[in-house]
Amino acid sequence: PASLTVIGAPNIAVNPAALNFGTVFVGATPTQTMTVSNPGTDALVISGITSDHAFVTVLPPTSFTLAPLAAQNVTVRFSPTSPATVNATLAILSNDPDSPSTPVAVAGVSVPAPSFSVTPGSISEALLTNTASSRNLRVSNSGGSNYIFTAEAQVITPRGTVVVQGDADNVDLPKDARAVVLGHLLRGGS
C-alpha cells in the first residue's frame, strides 16, 4: 500500500505592506496599525518584529503565534525626537519557509513645532452705548514651522456685540514672523 503524508505550511501576509506617517512635529507620537495574518495551513510563529530606526518602534506584542487563517493587529509608533526624513524598515521574523524575514517600509518626516506667544494675554474693555475701542493683539511665532491659527472674538456678557474687522480666519504666520490683529469692541442697546 502507498501512503501520502501532507504537511501544512505557515504563510505570512502583511497589510498594508508599507506605512507612511506623513509630516509630524518633533515630539509627536502618532501610531498606525498593520495586520499580520496567516493564510497558510499550519501555525505561523512570529518570533520578533524589529526596526532599523530609533524613531520607529513596534508596541507589544512583538512575538505571537497565529493559527491558520488567523490575524493579529500590530501597532507601529513614529516618535521623532529631532527633525528628520525617515525611511525605515521593519523586519517581521517568522517560521514562514518562503519569507523568514518580511520587510515593511515605514516613512515619515519630522519638523520642528511652531512656538507662539500672544501679547497681551487678555484684553478687557468696558464701553458705553454707541462707543468703540481698538486694541492691538500681537501674535508671534519663534518656532521652526509655520503657525496656522484662527482668531475669533468672544462675547463674555449677554449684552453687546463684538465685531472683528478684516479676515482673521485661518491666518498663516511664517516662522519668525509677527501679526497684529486689530478688532473693535462695540456695545449696543440701552
Side-chain angles (χ1 to χ4, degrees):
S3 66
L4 176 66
T5 303
V6 178
I7 299 172
N11 189 27
I12 190 170
V14 180
N15 186 31
L19 300 173
N20 189 334
F21 284 90
T23 301
V24 303
F25 292 134
V26 170
T29 58
T31 60
Q32 290 189 20
T33 301
M34 63 182 179
T35 302
V36 178
S37 61
N38 178 14
T41 56
D42 199 1
L44 175 67
V45 177
I46 304 298
S47 56
I49 305 173
T50 61
S51 170
D52 65 358
H53 199 287
F55 291 175
V56 178
T57 55
V58 179
L59 302 182
T62 57
S63 59
F64 46 88
T65 300
L66 296 174
L69 305 180
Q72 170 76 43
N73 285 335
V74 174
T75 303
V76 179
R77 176 175 286 150
F78 180 48
S79 50
T81 57
S82 63
T85 298
V86 174
N87 290 298
T89 302
L90 297 176
I92 305 175
L93 309 175
S94 73
N95 66 336
D96 181 332
D98 301 326
S99 302
S101 179
T102 303
V104 176
V106 180
V109 175
S110 58
V111 296
S115 178
F116 71 94
S117 62
V118 178
T119 307
S122 66
I123 298 174
S124 178
E125 187 72 33
L127 299 174
L128 299 173
T129 302
N130 297 322
T131 61
S133 177
S134 296
R135 298 288 184 262
N136 288 333
L137 178 67
R138 181 175 301 278
V139 179
S140 302
N141 177 19
S142 61
S145 295
N146 290 352
Y147 175 58
I148 299 171
F149 66 95
T150 300
E152 178 181 318
Q154 295 181 340
V155 177
I156 298 177
T157 61
R159 294 184 53 175
T161 59
V162 177
V163 178
V164 176
Q165 292 183 344
D167 183 13
D169 288 341
N170 299 322
V171 178
D172 186 357
L173 186 61
K175 65 180 184 176
D176 297 323
R178 289 178 165 65
V180 176
V181 178
L182 180 62
H184 289 286
L185 303 173
L186 302 175
R187 182 167 174 111
S190 52

